[in-house]
Amino acid sequence: MIDFYTWSTPNGRKVSILLEELGVPYTAHAIDITKDEQFDPAFLKIAPNNKIPAIVDQDTGLSLFESGAIMVYLAEKTGQFFPTSGEHRARVMEWLMWQMAGFGPMLGQTHHFVKFNRGKAPYAEERFSKEARRLYGVLDTQLGKSEFVAGADYSIADMSIWPWASRFEWQGVDLGEFANVARWYNMIADRSATERGYHVPVQQPGGIPRP
């Protein structure tokens, strides 16, 4: 049993989508970051950085924070969506790190300046909007070479990237300009585990955005 502490953000959704794909039993605990619940001392014991997501594996007693680390841990524990060796494993890790180091942080800054604080910092708006489009271009080029981001098989790399792409409207990005990303995006959105995981821990009005 996994205790899963989360909120409806891209980093939370990547883990809930993986949990749904794995089919492992878990209990979702809502940490409402709009009410600063991530700063509760009880949560701090699980997540020293005061950020969601975090898990506690009741089978082992292990607590873990940082979404990328959680993805690798769950995939390795179950032997799913993450190859055990070879080039394919390296490619999955490569694109998982691309999301963690670039796609997520840069799009997060785009949300901050373009969606929530438009007009306050024109330089930042331009900088992060351009970087968002550049990163979508990188992803589009990669998806022009293979069905999924790290090759022929669906993996934790795809699950980590997709929730950030699901906020394309927040980023002012038209997925119609990135045909390979749009194909991949809709294919993953059509998966039943994606639909379920998207709505953890609370049902989202309007459902999954579609380009």
Side-chain angles (χ1 to χ4, degrees), residues 90-173:
R91 295 302 175 203
V92 171
M93 184 66 80
E94 176 181 54
W95 285 97
L96 176 64
M97 294 301 104
W98 178 82
Q99 184 277 302
M100 296 295 297
F103 200 63
M106 292 300 102
L107 296 188
Q109 293 298 314
T110 307
H111 299 166
H112 179 79
F113 289 106
V114 173
K115 178 174 173 60
F116 294 111
N117 293 282
R118 182 174 288 278
K120 292 184 179 180
Y123 170 78
E125 288 181 37
E126 181 182 11
R127 170 181 167 78
F128 290 111
S129 293
K130 284 183 176 180
E131 180 63 3
R133 292 185 60 80
R134 187 192 72 81
L135 289 165
Y136 272 99
V138 171
L139 182 60
D140 195 68
T141 297
Q142 178 65 14
L143 288 168
K145 302 173 184 176
S146 57
E147 185 173 15
F148 295 103
V149 71
D153 299 322
Y154 188 45
S155 74
I156 58 173
D158 300 282
M159 293 178 222
S160 72
I161 296 168
W162 184 91
W164 285 99
S166 75
R167 287 188 166 170
F168 59 89
E169 293 175 322
W170 288 26
Q171 300 143 17
V173 170

Side-chain angles (χ1 to χ4, degrees), residues 3-4 15 19 26 40 45 49 52-53 56 62 67 79 86 151 154 170 183 189:
D3 281 309
F4 174 43
V15 176
L19 285 165
Y26 74 95
D40 186 280
K45 293 179 181 179
N49 198 33
I52 63 94
V56 176
L62 175 73
S67 58
Y154 188 45
W170 288 26
R183 169 197 60 77

